[in-house]
Amino acid sequence: QVQLVESGGGMVQAGGSLRLSCAASGYTLSNYAMGWFRQAPGKERGGVAAIDADGHTSYADSVKGRFTISRDNAKNILYLQMNSLTPEDTGMYYCAADLAIGMTAEQALGADHYGMDYWGKGTLVFISS
């Protein structure tokens, strides 16, 4: 059974950093595309960063140069390093996985809820000004 469990959220001041983790079980995350998605208050959930089986990454324009997605294949964990945080980065962050062969990072980044097979329950990030 596939499970995704996020952690690492919290409250930091603007300009600070956080690292989110997503522990995957029930499958080998390095074989498939995964992504981080964010839902800000009053807004729809959207892709923030994604990585595919080949290690290619894709980012939303709003986080390019500040966020880095990576994975530890040995630990089966997906990470999101977030630097230079702003209040606009506040929201619930979810990791998601799709077990379709060949999904690209760009496709994962643009996926909606039904475009990814599995979702975690999320971790809350709050950035104070």
Side-chain angles (χ1 to χ4, degrees):
Q1 182 178 358
V2 173
Q3 283 192 319
L4 301 173
V5 180
E6 303 94 336
S7 62
M11 184 175 73
V12 297
Q13 288 188 327
S17 298
L18 281 173
R19 188 177 77 160
L20 306 184
S21 299
C22 174
S25 59
Y27 81 110
T28 301
L29 68 82
S30 61
N31 290 343
Y32 305 99
M34 292 192 71
W36 286 99
F37 297 78
R38 175 172 70 198
Q39 186 164 22
K43 295 185 179 180
E44 292 187 355
R45 186 165 55 188
V48 172
I51 186 169
D52 63 25
D54 293 329
H56 299 130
T57 58
S58 185
Y59 296 91
D61 288 343
S62 61
V63 306
K64 283 181 180 176
R66 300 188 299 121
F67 289 14
T68 303
I69 188 170
S70 63
R71 63 190 178 206
D72 185 323
N73 295 339
K75 295 181 179 179
N76 225 36
I77 297 176
L78 182 74
Y79 297 104
L80 184 67
Q81 178 66 43
M82 306 187 295
N83 299 327
S84 302
L85 287 160
T86 73
E88 288 68 37
D89 295 315
T90 291
M92 186 70 81
Y93 283 71
Y94 303 86
C95 70
D98 192 274
L99 271 56
I101 300 297
M103 175 177 266
T104 67
E106 289 74 18
Q107 290 171 330
L109 186 70
D112 60 14
H113 178 79
Y114 300 102
M116 302 295 280
D117 293 328
Y118 297 96
W119 293 84
K121 294 183 178 180
T123 186
L124 183 62
V125 171
F126 182 81
I127 311 303
S128 61
S129 57

